[in-house]
Amino acid sequence: MALIPFDDRDGLIWLNGEMVDWRDAKTHTLSHGLHYASLVFEGERAYGGTIFAGAEHTKRLRSSCQMLDFDIPISNEEVDEAKIALLAANKITDGYVRAFCWRGSEMMAISAQQTKTHVAIAAWEWPSYFDPETKMRGITLDIAKWKRPSPESAPVHAKAAGLYTICTLSKHEAEKKGFQDALMLDYRGYIAEATGANVFFIDAESTLHTPIPDCFLNGITRQTVIRLAQSLQMKVVERHLQPEDMATMKECFLTGTAAEVTPVARIGNYTFTPSDACRQLVTAYDDLVNGRINL
Ligand SMILES: Cc1ncc(COP(=O)(O)O)c(C=O)c1O
């Protein structure tokens, strides 16, 4: 399939307060964000014209900025309004929304105290094809050699570009070996998350186990699925998990804005059989984001 480059598409992008033609949404090559990874972003999804958890994503965008010692120059309400206006201007009802902030070109050095913060929002069509049977086959994950860093080594709770370097490396390595994604352990050897999604396991008693997000992103989908599972009377335990704990788990799934609830069939040599619990949560999440149920 031919790739359509992201800099050569039709539509509008919201850039620093204005709707600009997609191909004109440019930043200079000498931008701090590009050279020093002073860029944070959000990935959001609209279902039937409504962004799921839009305000929470905006809140996280601001806190990611603040963790990198800059801030969004406009209010959260203005960001939320811009996202909605952008979807309408591009006539997108089911799509992906990418909001991002980065330091500009005023300074090109480690110190970046005087840089201006740029804000942009792009959105593109991304319908969610709900096919539970295909989903239920489950995806396969390699176990990455890269480890999620300690909170003393990086701003681990920011959705910051720099933290994705090891995710891209891990994902490439996994894809070369024929896996679809990679599970990352943390600096202590505990199970952390996938390269762009959180992970859950289900044991023989149908209890959900998920790592404590103490050195990685506490995903908005993760938090939603925990509440969803509890509303379905499922027990949820947040704890440190060792790779060997996977041997006792029956089911496994990933959660994320892009992944939604994605069953997993294999991680390294550990296998899982996506069954009732996965199916229930896949369906409940789809019902929730499409407004068929409330939480
Ligand atoms: C590294 C990483 N972890 C977890 C998640 C899941 O976060 P959310 O559910 O907020 O999309 C994402 C997706 O944004 C991610 O990139």
Side-chain angles (χ1 to χ4, degrees):
M1 198 170 65
L3 290 176
I4 308 165
F6 275 91
D7 59 358
D8 190 17
R9 297 184 175 203
D10 296 326
L12 297 168
I13 288 180
W14 188 97
L15 177 62
N16 294 325
E18 283 173 46
M19 299 278 184
V20 300
D21 187 82
W22 190 288
R23 292 175 184 83
D24 296 334
K26 292 180 180 166
T27 193
H28 199 273
T29 48
L30 294 174
S31 293
H32 198 273
L34 195 56
H35 290 251
Y36 296 94
S38 51
L39 180 145
V40 298
F41 65 99
E42 275 305 315
E44 315 178 29
R45 220 159 156 156
Y47 298 88
T50 304
I51 300 174
F52 181 71
E56 277 145 280
H57 282 283
T58 301
K59 242 168 98 183
R60 187 170 69 185
L61 185 68
R62 183 178 300 281
S63 59
S64 293
C65 281
Q66 290 170 345
M67 284 181 234
L68 267 62
D69 200 27
F70 58 101
D71 208 348
I72 312 180
I74 56 173
S75 70
N76 287 16
E77 292 70 31
E78 286 170 302
V79 175
D80 289 338
E81 280 164 21
K83 289 192 283 195
I84 292 162
L86 183 75
L87 285 174
N90 285 299
K91 299 189 174 53
I92 295 170
T93 51
D94 293 281
Y96 182 81
V97 180
R98 170 65 62 109
F100 48 113
C101 305
W102 71 99
R103 287 187 187 272
S105 303
E106 293 76 9
M107 293 178 79
M108 276 294 291
I110 308 288
S111 176
Q113 313 264 13
Q114 311 295 327
T115 55
K116 182 179 153 210
T117 299
H118 296 265
V119 187
I121 310 167
W124 51 91
E125 294 274 354
W126 191 0
S128 163
Y129 295 110
F130 186 60
D131 172 7
E133 289 329 304
T134 306
K135 269 203 145 179
M136 287 302 288
R137 283 189 220 132
I139 60 165
T140 62
L141 273 67
D142 186 19
I143 299 180
K145 69 170 197 263
W146 295 97
K147 307 283 189 283
R148 305 294 325 182
S150 142
E152 292 179 334
S153 302
V156 294
H157 299 295
K159 197 166 164 62
L163 292 167
Y164 283 86
T165 303
I166 56 173
C167 299
T168 298
L169 289 170
S170 301
K171 186 129 179 169
H172 282 184
E173 190 71 29
E175 286 173 345
K176 278 179 208 153
K177 293 191 213 161
F179 294 97
Q180 282 138 313
D181 199 358
L183 177 77
M184 304 184 75
L185 306 181
D186 72 15
Y187 63 104
R188 298 159 295 194
Y190 294 138
I191 292 173
E193 58 170 351
T195 62
N198 293 115
V199 66
F200 286 76
F201 300 93
I202 304 165
D203 69 14
E205 275 76 52
S206 300
T207 298
L208 271 63
H209 300 256
T210 191
I212 300 165
D214 55 7
C215 63
F216 56 87
L217 212 60
N218 181 8
I220 290 167
T221 319
R222 175 189 181 278
Q223 296 172 52
T224 304
V225 166
I226 289 175
R227 286 191 285 127
L228 205 50
Q230 287 165 339
S231 77
L232 295 167
Q233 314 308 322
M234 293 175 175
K235 193 173 162 206
V236 184
V237 182
E238 294 180 69
R239 66 180 179 93
H240 288 139
L241 288 149
Q242 304 277 3
E244 308 80 75
D245 292 331
M246 289 195 278
T248 63
M249 301 297 174
K250 303 294 172 207
E251 300 184 56
C252 174
F253 61 88
L254 304 183
T255 62
T257 298
E260 302 178 310
V261 175
T262 295
V264 173
R266 181 179 158 204
I267 300 180
N269 291 324
Y270 298 99
T271 55
F272 309 96
T273 310
S275 313
D276 290 352
C278 269
R279 190 185 300 274
Q280 235 183 318
L281 289 166
V282 166
T283 306
Y285 186 76
D286 189 66
D287 285 343
L288 180 70
V289 293
N290 285 292
R292 290 188 292 271
I293 59 169
N294 292 313
L295 196 55

